[in-house]
Each structure stands twice: as structure tokens, then as C-alpha cells.
Amino acid sequence: MAIGEQVPRTIVGRRRLHPGFVRTGRKFSLLWLGALVGSATASAAPRGGEPNDYLFLVFSHPTAGMEKAYQRWYNEIHLPDVVSVTGFVSAQRFELADIQLRIPDCSVPRYLALYRVRTNDLRSVREAMARRARCGNLRTSAALGADVRMYTFKLTGRARAGTRKTPRPGQRDYIQIVLGDAVRGQDAAFNGWYDQVHQPQLLQVPGFIEGQRGVANHMTLAPQYGTSRYLALFRLRTADLREMFEGTKRLDVPPASFDRSRTFGYTFRAIGPELSAAAVRQHQAHRTAGGRCDQRR
């Protein structure tokens, strides 16, 4: 469903499971991730040239009864560990909002870590993550639940600015994530509608302050889940999320090129400030072991 296609409602009722969020059936481990990202079967990627910008999305939830330990580990250990890897620019955490633009069509882990990466060689970033995992500098925790889902998208074009409302008491920051796709063979029509019609309309709604799109990349930072090939990420700022979503009701109906079966949207609220990778790396510069892990082995 496109943004604005349904009347805003809180999350209620039974939700079907999105194919992008199939449970693994085993405990996720960053050491397991390290083995995967360091495997010799990873697709080759061209090196050199101008750097590209990527978004790395990691959805997760805590192990039952370990919420406090999960939050402490994620904020104080895991986020700095990951964002300190060369190529990462920033990281920020979010929690699924109580009010959604539409009822989600799937079961989605409650928390999201959104990483920004800038590099001309994504494979080298992936390999650096693997080396850090092997030498223990991507520290794991039993508090991390088994249902972890990861996506890598290459950003296409610059972020577009939307409305800038006068600051009001109680305003909070949110993001709207749309994992979408085109009907087979109709990518040009779908992307034309999204770029020229849908995104501009959304950015005129008060509270939508920025929008950017991305496409699934052949090289990923972790095994990719789901069938949606396109990403739309909108930054929101409002004191009344429900009122803001009312402004999306008058948007155009999606065209025939829009694949409803592979399009899913989620509203998340920010639960912490954006963490600068440069600041973390400077703070961790004294960690000799971490420096050695950046060297090829």
C-alpha cells in the first residue's frame, strides 16, 4: 500500500508475516554474521571511483525478560562497535511507533538501528566487519533476540527537503520506512511516479521534513531479507503524529505499476540522537586491538 492510502490507525489486530521477516529458528550471533560476511562466496564489487551512500537497516528485538540488558548493550556497546568500522558515517536507533500511518501488513521487530555508510568499496566495509567479528570487537549479547532482519540499500539521488514547521512543544522525530517494489517489467513507470508524483506530494504534508530513496544493492553488508527492491525513507517531525497523518489522505491513488504485494510501510520514532562515526573512532583511537582488527589478515 502506498503512503496515505489508508486512514491512519494504531497497530491493532492480527498481522501476517512479511516474507522479509521470516524467523531464523536459531539464535542470531554477530560471530555467525562475521563468518558470513567474511566468506569467500561474497559477490565481487568494483573498487575505486566516486563513493556512494548506503543505508544499512537492522531490525531486532530483545530476548524475553532482558529488555534492560538489550538496551544497555545496544546503546553503550553494539552501536559504537559497528559505527567505528571504517566506511560507517553515523548510526541512530528507533522504536516502532504506537501510531502507524497504516496497519502494518507484517510482524516486524520492535527496534531499528539505521546506519549510514559512505564508500567506493562496500565489500571492504563488509570484510572489515568480518575481521572485527573474528577478533571479538563486534561484541555479542544474550539479550539480543533471535529475530534479526538486515537490509542494505544504495541511496539514489540527494535527499529532498519537505516542510519546516515552526517548532512546537512536544515535537518528536520519526521516520517512515517504505520497502516497496514495482510490478515486474514496470520499474520505469513505478520510479517515475514515486519520484515525480508521490514523494513530492508527501513532502508538502506538514511534518514530512525530508525524503530519500534507495535501491537494493548487489553487494550487501549482511544477508538480505525480503523481496522488496526499493526503499523510501522519510524524516518526520511533529507533536501530533495522528494529526500529521491526516494530511496524507488526499494523495493520489498508486498506479498499476505499484506492486501492493511487495510494499510495506512502518513508522518508527527516534529513541536517541544520531551517533557520529568520526567521534566514536576518535574516542576509540587508544584501543590498540581495535586498530589491529582494521588490518587485513
Side-chain angles (χ1 to χ4, degrees), residues 119-261:
T119 182
N120 61 3
D121 183 5
L122 193 63
R123 183 173 185 172
S124 69
V125 179
R126 176 172 168 147
E127 291 170 348
M129 293 173 67
R131 290 193 297 275
R132 282 179 172 260
R134 287 196 297 269
C135 67
N137 280 352
L138 286 182
R139 291 164 283 181
T140 62
S141 173
L144 177 65
D147 194 5
V148 180
R149 298 291 172 258
M150 296 166 286
Y151 296 83
T152 305
F153 290 95
K154 179 180 177 180
L155 292 176
T156 56
R158 295 174 178 266
R160 296 187 182 183
T163 59
R164 292 290 191 272
K165 291 172 46 174
T166 303
R168 291 170 50 190
Q171 280 187 339
R172 302 192 68 170
D173 288 335
Y174 302 84
I175 57 173
Q176 180 69 27
I177 295 174
V178 182
L179 302 175
D181 215 323
V183 171
R184 187 178 298 277
Q186 297 189 40
D187 290 71
F190 169 78
N191 287 315
W193 167 76
Y194 219 109
D195 291 337
Q196 299 166 27
V197 178
H198 192 53
Q199 188 180 54
Q201 284 184 337
L202 277 171
L203 292 176
Q204 291 176 12
V205 175
F208 281 79
I209 63 175
E210 186 178 273
Q212 193 161 20
R213 299 194 63 213
V215 62
N217 198 57
H218 69 280
M219 167 59 66
T220 62
L221 291 178
Q224 191 94 340
Y225 286 84
T227 59
S228 304
R229 292 178 297 147
Y230 295 105
L231 168 75
L233 176 70
F234 296 91
R235 289 179 55 215
L236 319 176
R237 182 170 296 146
T238 182
D240 190 336
L241 196 59
R242 191 187 300 275
E243 177 187 54
M244 191 190 78
F245 285 163
E246 288 289 326
T248 68
K249 288 182 178 180
R250 56 183 178 271
L251 300 184
D252 289 351
V253 174
S257 59
F258 181 90
D259 190 338
R260 298 170 186 269
S261 68

Side-chain angles (χ1 to χ4, degrees), residues 24-30 32 61-63 66 140-148:
T24 61
R26 57 177 169 171
K27 175 67 180 175
F28 175 84
S29 164
L30 282 175
W32 171 67
H61 66 166
T63 298
M66 301 186 70
T140 62
S141 173
L144 177 65
D147 194 5
V148 180

Side-chain angles (χ1 to χ4, degrees), residues 54-56 58 74 78-79 82-83 88 90-91 113-117:
Y54 301 86
L55 290 181
F56 181 42
V58 181
Y74 226 118
H78 187 57
L79 217 64
V82 175
V83 82
F88 280 79
S90 65
L114 179 66
Y115 300 93
R116 294 185 179 272
V117 178

